[in-house]
Amino acid sequence: MKQRLLDDVSTASPQRQGGDSQATAHLPALTLVSHPLASRVGERFVLESLARGKEVALSRNEPLFTRVGEVIGRPLADPFVSRRPLRFLPRPEGGVRLEGDAEGTQVMVGGVPGVSWDFRPEALAAGVTLELAGRVVLLLHRVAVDEERSADTLGMVGQSSALGRVRTRVRQVADLDVPVLIRGETGSGKELVARALHQRGPRRKGPFVSVNLGTLARELAAAELFGAQRGAYTGASQSREGFFRAAHGGTLFLDEVGEAPAEVQVALLRVLETGEVYPVGAHTPIATDVRLVAATDAPLEDLIEQGRFRAPLLHRLSGYSIQMPPLRERREDISLLFHHFARVELEGLGEAWRLEPTDPYAEPWLPAALASRLLRHDWPGNVRQLRNVARQLVISGRGQARLQVDAALEAELAPKPSGEEAPIHEPTPVARRKPSDVTEPELLEALRECSWDLKNTAEKLGITRASLYNLVDRSPHIRTVKDLGAEEITRCFQDCGGDLDAMVRKLEVSRRALQRRVRELGLEPPES
């Protein structure tokens, strides 16, 4: 019997659950990511028996997969999947062994057929694609034992643990009138979070105004945001209301806030502090009643070091922060999103029926090999890129029984060499690594060796600083300054005699962030 050991799959760090510093228990699970009936995508079965040392059988008739909110489940029921069961068995330290049957269902992992595999815990954390009979694709992954699955999606497609944490944070802050800073890579869905905050908050009946600061002409940005009086500048033939006043009584969403010009940053800080705006050319302030939600894919801390962004503005904007996970860290959502976008396009073409064929023996509209490739792709453009790929595939496949990949899309979806990662921000001089390859012990060791200097730590690990911030935020055993109360910082300051380096070693947080917090608390000792 041939055995394959999957040790080349990226490691995924344990996920932080709110402010709980305890590691979250996980169980293996199977999620349907491709099925001849598209309506079944997203159904899940948790392999709870493995935790009790018992095996789990998978065949055409068992187990029963359920959707969120459903009680009664359904088997795979595909006529090409054998009745001879595949067997999942527990392995040491949370691993899983999959044993097939040479005369049963053909199984492919990563496009390679086989009969038996051992999956290590880190492989399960990253997610393993299983192709059955060339028709059904399952994702073998881990789910949190205490994970909440709610039918209330807040307008966001997906059911991953990572997206669940985002929804939890939205619910926690939506009804509070505090500014929110949404951080995440480009195309990860930050505006959807902003809209969810608006719809769930007390201002839902007011306007939602979305502004991309990266698209505003720098010389006109202040007038666009805060308004302008007639004749305030060349070409101002009439007064301009401005986005702040347009959003009065509602929510103003400022995307790409890192692109704000210096003068706009000063004015934004004034608005957040006083609730008043000064239209360009005016000498009298105008009161405004707006909830501000900002978003960025830029490392604002880096921009502060470069003198391109004001630290006080960052502190004001981030009254509450929400981190959007990249798509590659929520792989069980990829197929749900793809089918959502595909259905929209198919409905426009009058071909939505392709997703629900009436012939059970018909070839799947989404071939299993293509579905598996979509799951394994890194998606540097995140949800936006996935939406464009879905549109490209649907339009190119008009009138065809199955989707096909053209040469251009083939190149876009081609797997990258192991360890290669397209840089999101400026490249570093050291060899690039995937952030998911950095284990939590390695991360903690690097932070300690670099005395909690995040810039040096990122360079040592070979990842971008934005990726490092994400890893730290998701680690259940690493705190940030925001996790520290004023009392704890004050007590540590007194115990260490004001020695910042000693405080960093004791509290184990970013030196730069701790220094800012000490100053904010008025604990900065006299210069020596």
Side-chain angles (χ1 to χ4, degrees), residues 122-441:
E122 56 264 31
L124 301 180
V128 180
T129 56
L130 309 176
E131 298 177 36
L132 308 183
R135 294 170 57 87
V136 176
V137 181
L138 296 166
L139 182 69
L140 175 63
H141 60 110
R142 299 194 310 172
V143 297
V145 173
D146 58 352
E147 177 180 318
E148 295 184 10
R149 300 183 74 202
S150 171
D152 183 7
T153 65
L154 301 184
M156 293 175 271
V157 175
Q159 58 185 30
S160 63
S161 298
L163 191 60
R165 286 190 294 275
V166 171
R167 292 191 181 110
T168 296
R169 294 184 74 83
V170 169
R171 294 187 182 102
Q172 288 171 337
V173 75
D175 63 335
L176 304 178
D177 201 19
V178 298
V180 176
L181 178 62
I182 307 169
R183 309 185 79 155
E185 295 179 9
T186 179
S188 56
K190 295 186 287 295
E191 183 166 346
L192 279 179
V193 175
R195 290 184 180 276
L197 288 168
H198 175 72
Q199 291 297 329
R200 283 304 178 111
R203 298 172 178 268
R204 67 179 68 89
K205 294 183 179 180
F208 177 88
V209 178
S210 176
V211 182
N212 188 321
L213 292 179
T215 64
L216 298 183
R218 298 184 68 86
E219 61 275 10
L220 296 178
E224 294 275 12
L225 286 171
F226 311 114
Q229 288 190 337
R230 179 180 178 182
Y233 56 89
T234 304
S237 56
Q238 58 184 6
S239 296
R240 184 190 297 264
E241 181 184 47
F243 290 120
F244 263 92
R245 281 189 282 174
H248 186 79
T251 302
L252 178 60
F253 173 56
L254 298 181
D255 199 4
E256 294 191 31
V257 71
E259 299 293 325
E263 63 275 12
V264 168
Q265 293 181 36
V266 173
L268 281 175
L269 185 58
R270 182 191 305 121
V271 174
L272 287 167
E273 291 176 342
T274 67
E276 297 177 336
V277 299
Y278 277 88
V280 176
H283 302 287
T284 303
I286 297 176
T288 181
D289 178 24
V290 169
R291 183 187 192 172
L292 193 62
V293 179
T296 183
D297 64 345
L300 298 182
E301 291 79 3
D302 289 5
L303 299 183
I304 289 172
E305 290 181 11
Q306 299 164 14
R308 296 165 52 194
F309 200 83
R310 296 177 62 87
L313 179 56
L314 172 58
H315 300 155
R316 285 285 187 176
L317 289 173
S318 55
Y320 190 84
S321 295
I322 297 177
Q323 181 74 40
M324 282 299 295
L327 190 55
R328 60 185 171 276
E329 294 182 6
R330 38 183 291 218
R331 294 194 184 276
E332 58 264 51
D333 292 340
I334 290 175
S335 188
L336 279 170
L337 283 161
F338 176 85
H339 281 86
H340 169 74
F341 295 135
R343 188 178 296 276
V344 172
E345 297 297 330
L346 286 168
E347 287 175 352
L349 297 173
E351 297 185 9
W353 56 270
R354 294 191 180 278
L355 295 176
E356 302 293 331
T358 55
D359 181 3
Y361 292 90
E363 288 291 318
W365 177 75
L366 174 62
L370 176 55
S372 183
R373 180 181 295 187
L374 292 175
L375 257 68
R376 298 198 303 270
H377 188 59
D378 275 345
W379 298 108
N382 291 294
V383 178
R384 183 182 298 122
Q385 182 189 10
L386 176 60
R387 180 186 60 203
N388 293 338
V389 167
R391 179 181 294 122
Q392 178 78 11
L393 283 167
V394 170
I395 294 177
S396 299
R398 292 183 65 179
Q400 298 180 7
R402 294 183 302 279
L403 291 179
Q404 296 181 358
V405 182
D406 59 26
L409 201 53
E410 179 81 28
E412 181 178 345
L413 297 177
K416 296 180 180 178
S418 178
E420 180 182 347
E421 178 188 40
I424 299 168
H425 302 296
E426 68 279 8
T428 59
V430 294
R432 306 294 297 164
R433 295 177 64 190
K434 288 185 177 180
S436 55
D437 287 338
V438 180
T439 64
E440 187 175 30

